[in-house]
Amino acid sequence: MTKTELKEAKERYFELSKMIRMTTYDSLVKETTEEQEARIKHLLKPENYIEYFDYYYGVNSGLPLADAPSSWFHQQSYEKVFKDPFIRQFRRWFRGAAKSIHTNVGNVTHLKQNNQMNFLALIGRNENMAKILLQDVQMHLESNERFIKDFGMQLSYGNWADGQFRTKDEKDFLAKGINQPFRGLRFGADRIDLAIVDDVEDRDQAKNKEMVRKYGDKIVGDLVKAFHFKRGRLIVPNNYIVKDGINDYILKKFEKSKHLDVSTVNLTDKDGNPSWPERMSREDTGRINADTDYYTSQREDYNNPIEEGKLFKSHQMLKRKVHGNEGWDGFIVHWDLSYTSTGDYKAGILIGVQGLRLTVLEVFCQRCGINSAMEEHFSWIFKYKMKGYSPLSFYDATAAQQAVYSPVILQCAEDSECPDIPIPMHQQGDKHNRIEATITNALHRKILFWDDRLKGKNYDEFMDQVLSFEKGTKNNDDAPDTLERGISLAQTYYGFSKEQSSTKPKIGKRSKKRRV
């Protein structure tokens, strides 16, 4: 940290300390000694943690740092920390879920006052970031009048700017960058019994596998081996923004541990309900989703570390103008359906075939009921029947799924007065390998095109899923799955080849050869 940066950080510290001191002092209430002791006893119980946090640091403290009551996941995660002295907890919470203030201030001071912490090691992305994190802890211990009234003056010696301090009850606080040595750390006889590795993940750094291994081994080796043998909690607050980074590395090292706990909290659940309802409404989360690009939103708010175009690039999606008088060899419709309207997406595609060339003419991609998807299906069938064509249509289904889908599809066909129902067909084998091989081949040969009139929500969602597809991702893959099946079925039923064995149906007069 340069002299200028240090000066600015100290100025920030003094300004915030002054604000905290004044605000918490003004919020003090008169109470008897008995009332105070009873309140403290109540707040220090682990089952009352979020009351504790909101009283000293949150909405009830008078501080402007929190704008809503703490929520269920703040409580649930801390109770697990309190009850397990050897926990390895990963807090994969969405951006803005108050990971740092709860973990580094709320959890730390609650453990401290319950005599469940003697030596905290706070690990940041680098030394400066670690000191800034430590600054927040010291700021409240030194200036929060609510905390001081109940637990007395705190600081004994040291300072966050120097990377360490000690409190009057002989609790040690240390800040270290992940790139600094921390092997065998201790203060006198005290060894680390609480370590917080806060926001050390970096997408660019994750590309350097040697660096990931180096830092990962420092955490699971040097840091964890420096723990006290009777107690050693590890908390990793970092949303899941990149695959195969430090978080994945250290998680794999602990995956067989009975002390492992992965707390995953997304911005919303699958039904679109806010995970922090005390703070956000559906309108709030909807606006956040709308204002954030898809890939950033998936990484930062939904713990889904996807990258645009890792396998399939946007420039490979060739568009062309489709004219109304074009001739076609045939049409394939394929649907990828799901059991629940709020689970996976219903995805459908209609591909027109002209020799080798395949053109995507219609797409559907929504979270909805089967009825809505089938209404779209039959509207496509009518549209192309009016042009004199009868598309071949299929849907993916196991025998068990057919029992669920068939009655609904038949009813929709009756309501639409259309007998052209899709045929169930289930594809075996590794889905991800199949998707990658089929679509990559079509893109490489430049035989797949998209009608340039395709626009709107269905197309955008469909294309987002295709471009974000990669093996092992948690992202929805209904669109690339149905695209792959559409391509494969088009090539199977309308295959074109110069060889005699071509499977392309030939319509016209047979050529007769006379014997000589």
Side-chain angles (χ1 to χ4, degrees):
M1 189 179 295
T2 65
K3 290 183 177 179
T4 301
E5 290 173 336
L6 180 59
K7 180 182 177 182
E8 291 174 351
K10 286 183 175 180
E11 288 175 354
R12 171 185 175 273
Y13 178 83
F14 289 127
E15 286 298 319
L16 288 176
S17 295
K18 181 180 178 181
M19 181 272 293
I20 290 172
R21 184 176 295 109
M22 291 176 62
T23 307
T24 53
Y25 180 80
D26 291 341
S27 67
L28 293 176
V29 295
K30 291 183 179 181
E31 58 187 342
T32 65
T33 302
E34 291 76 14
E35 289 172 335
Q36 181 186 20
E37 290 176 352
R39 176 176 52 75
I40 293 172
K41 183 178 180 180
H42 173 80
L43 294 177
L44 287 181
K45 291 180 179 179
E47 60 269 26
N48 299 324
Y49 166 72
I50 59 175
E51 286 186 59
Y52 167 91
F53 182 89
D54 289 347
Y55 179 82
Y56 293 107
Y57 316 110
V59 290
N60 300 326
S61 67
L63 292 170
L65 304 176
D67 54 12
S70 300
S71 198
W72 61 272
F73 57 92
H74 300 123
Q75 176 66 41
Q76 184 185 80
S77 58
Y78 178 70
E79 284 194 59
K80 291 180 179 179
V81 166
F82 190 92
K83 293 175 182 178
D84 185 353
F86 297 100
I87 195 167
R88 278 77 176 108
Q89 187 178 78
F90 291 74
R91 293 183 172 177
R92 294 180 167 180
W93 300 351
F94 63 93
R95 185 65 65 188
K99 292 186 292 292
S100 291
I101 188 66
H102 270 277
T103 306
N104 303 340
V105 179
N107 289 188
V108 166
T109 57
H110 198 276
L111 288 170
K112 171 183 174 296
Q113 296 311 130
N114 276 288
N115 203 31
Q116 287 290 311
M117 187 215 85
N118 288 324
F119 184 177
L120 165 70
L122 192 48
I123 311 301
R125 190 175 302 173
N126 52 49
E127 181 183 10
N128 293 344
M129 291 299 295
K131 287 180 178 180
I132 295 299
L133 294 172
L134 190 64
Q135 180 188 83
D136 292 337
V137 189
Q138 182 177 332
M139 195 182 301
H140 281 280
L141 291 175
E142 194 173 36
S143 305
N144 191 309
E145 293 292 344
R146 283 195 163 204
F147 194 87
I148 292 170
K149 177 191 174 186
D150 288 345
F151 305 113
M153 298 296 292
Q154 295 295 308
L155 228 59
S156 176
Y157 65 83
N159 193 283
W160 63 267
D162 299 322
Q164 65 184 72
F165 65 85
R166 170 173 275 203
T167 54
K168 292 182 181 295
D169 54 355
E170 299 185 337
K171 309 296 185 184
D172 296 304
F173 295 74
L174 177 71
K176 284 284 185 180
I178 196 171
N179 56 342
Q180 293 181 281
F182 38 76
R183 185 172 179 271
L185 287 174
R186 66 177 183 174
F187 278 143
D190 287 334
R191 288 189 173 273
I192 299 169
D193 59 0
L194 173 62
I196 298 171
V197 182
D198 191 349
D199 219 8
V200 299
E201 196 70 274
D202 182 80
R203 290 167 63 202
D204 289 332
Q205 181 178 272
K207 297 174 185 177
N208 186 334
K209 300 309 174 187
E210 180 61 26
M211 192 66 72
V212 168
R213 184 195 62 77
K214 175 184 175 182
Y215 288 160
D217 284 343
K218 284 185 67 177
I219 293 169
V220 300
D222 296 354
L223 180 61
V224 172
K225 287 300 289 183
F227 282 173
H228 196 286
F229 73 95
K230 287 189 176 180
R231 185 170 64 210
R233 296 177 171 93
L234 174 67
I235 307 176
V236 185
N238 205 134
N239 46 342
Y240 191 32
I241 61 171
V242 64
K243 291 173 62 178
D244 300 324
I246 295 174
N247 278 274
D248 270 350
Y249 187 90
I250 59 180
L251 179 60
K252 287 176 184 176
K253 295 291 185 178
F254 294 129
E255 62 185 359
K256 295 182 180 179
S257 171
K258 64 180 181 180
H259 301 287
L260 176 63
D261 178 62
V262 181
S263 172
T264 302
V265 183
N266 297 325
L267 181 65
T268 67
D269 62 18
K270 286 188 174 182
D271 296 329
N273 299 310
S275 295
W276 192 347
E278 298 87 351
R279 188 179 186 216
M280 300 175 183
S281 65
R282 288 179 71 99
E283 290 73 20
D284 293 327
T285 55
R287 185 174 61 255
I288 292 171
N289 287 332
D291 292 343
T292 311
D293 76 86
Y294 180 77
Y295 302 97
T296 300
S297 174
Q298 288 296 300
R299 288 191 300 268
E300 298 289 352
D301 295 330
Y302 291 92
N303 290 290
N304 185 19
I306 59 175
E307 301 286 346
E308 179 179 6
K310 272 200 169 183
L311 280 176
F312 312 131
K313 314 294 184 182
S314 57
H315 71 266
Q316 294 177 300
M317 305 301 156
L318 306 177
K319 292 192 175 185
R320 74 178 188 89
K321 186 175 181 61
V322 178
H323 299 281
N325 60 353
E326 291 187 23
W328 302 90
D329 296 332
F331 299 88
I332 287 289
V333 178
H334 187 271
W335 288 91
D336 189 314
L337 306 171
S338 63
Y339 274 114
T340 62
S341 61
T342 56
D344 291 340
Y345 283 74
K346 308 292 189 295
I349 194 166
L350 186 149
I351 296 177
V353 185
Q354 297 166 309
L356 286 173
R357 186 168 70 181
L358 308 176
T359 304
V360 179
L361 299 170
E362 311 284 351
V363 294
F364 181 91
C365 193
Q366 292 182 23
R367 277 195 175 110
C368 63
I370 297 176
N371 300 70
S372 298
M374 287 300 97
E375 286 174 7
E376 185 74 3
H377 167 77
F378 290 117
S379 74
W380 292 351
I381 298 298
F382 277 123
K383 177 178 177 180
Y384 288 86
K385 275 184 172 292
M386 291 293 290
K387 298 179 180 181
Y389 298 103
S390 293
L392 296 177
S393 55
F394 304 86
Y395 72 95
D396 184 68
T398 62
Q401 289 171 328
Q402 286 182 44
V404 176
Y405 300 151
S406 293
V408 180
I409 294 173
L410 289 171
Q411 185 61 58
C412 288
E414 184 177 339
D415 293 343
S416 301
E417 299 181 351
C418 180
D420 295 37
I421 62 173
I423 301 167
M425 179 182 288
H426 184 60
Q427 184 67 24
Q428 302 293 333
D430 187 297
K431 178 173 69 172
H432 285 183
N433 285 341
R434 174 167 47 80
I435 291 172
E436 180 179 355
T438 302
I439 298 178
T440 298
N441 179 57
L443 296 177
H444 177 73
R445 297 173 67 198
K446 296 183 180 180
I447 61 173
L448 180 66
F449 294 83
W450 302 76
D451 187 342
D452 64 1
R453 291 172 295 184
L454 289 173
K455 291 179 177 65
K457 187 175 181 181
N458 279 302
Y459 174 75
D460 291 342
E461 183 61 51
F462 196 100
M463 193 57 72
D464 280 342
Q465 288 193 20
V466 171
L467 292 178
S468 63
F469 174 80
E470 58 179 312
K471 290 187 67 174
T473 184
K474 296 178 183 177
N475 191 39
N476 291 292
D477 58 9
D478 309 276
D481 194 9
T482 203
L483 174 61
E484 184 279 327
R485 297 309 305 137
I487 294 171
S488 294
L489 290 167
Q491 292 174 332
T492 298
Y493 285 91
Y494 301 103
F496 180 87
S497 173
K498 294 180 180 179
E499 299 297 325
Q500 295 274 334
S501 59
S502 170
T503 59
K504 177 184 176 183
K506 296 181 178 179
I507 302 173
K509 293 183 179 180
R510 179 182 300 176
S511 174
K512 295 182 180 180
K513 294 182 179 180
R514 293 183 179 181
R515 295 180 181 178
V516 178

